[in-house]
Amino acid sequence: MAGGAGQLIGFGPADGEQRWHFPTAGLGASWRRLPGGGHGPVTADGVLLHWTNEKTLQAIDLGSGKSLWLETFGATATLPPAVADGTVYATAGGVCKALTLRGGKRIAQWPVDGEITDLAADSSGWYARVENDSVRAVNAPGGA
């Protein structure tokens, strides 16, 4: 996989031939960096997650290159999503959503007072730095 010029491009591992491509946002220098210094997209269990535009999160099956689902937010996203235990946590504006990794089913949604400036997740739930001056921790929703 490669990214640049507003595109994500998937290549065959054996022959290096281009297999798929999708328009993407979130690779620009203005986006916050992930741990280790990289920008989104995020991969987990054979699924690639990226923002197709400033308000729409997309899941792509890395093997087939097929779109699995799209989730639209009412505000501009500024962070890549976080993934833990088959649950995607994504935020834009004053909301954080929990979605199933493969199906995109909305499990839960939480209002957040302020802009989330960093987002992480593990088997216990999601954690966010809000407005760079407070931290919010939320237990993982059941049945994820």
Side-chain angles (χ1 to χ4, degrees):
M1 183 187 74
Q7 294 283 314
L8 287 175
I9 304 167
F11 298 93
D15 60 13
E17 294 292 320
Q18 181 177 325
R19 300 284 190 244
W20 50 264
H21 70 283
F22 289 95
T24 192
L27 296 173
S30 63
W31 268 57
R32 294 188 178 278
R33 295 197 176 271
L34 296 168
H39 289 291
V42 173
T43 60
D45 297 327
V47 176
L48 174 116
L49 299 158
H50 76 107
W51 293 94
T52 64
N53 59 48
E54 63 186 20
K55 297 181 181 181
T56 305
L57 183 65
Q58 180 178 34
I60 300 168
D61 181 279
L62 282 170
S64 67
K66 292 184 180 181
S67 178
L68 298 172
W69 52 264
L70 298 166
E71 178 71 17
T72 301
F73 288 70
T76 299
T78 59
L79 296 170
V83 182
D85 289 347
T87 301
V88 176
Y89 298 95
T91 183
V95 66
C96 183
K97 295 181 185 182
L99 309 158
T100 59
L101 180 62
R102 287 238 163 232
K105 178 184 173 193
R106 191 176 308 165
I107 302 166
Q109 179 173 315
W110 302 270
V112 180
D113 296 332
E115 179 187 358
I116 294 178
T117 55
D118 287 294
L119 180 66
D122 64 17
S123 60
S124 297
W126 61 272
Y127 312 88
R129 185 165 39 154
V130 182
E131 301 286 336
N132 287 320
D133 61 9
S134 67
V135 174
R136 179 162 182 195
V138 177
N139 288 334

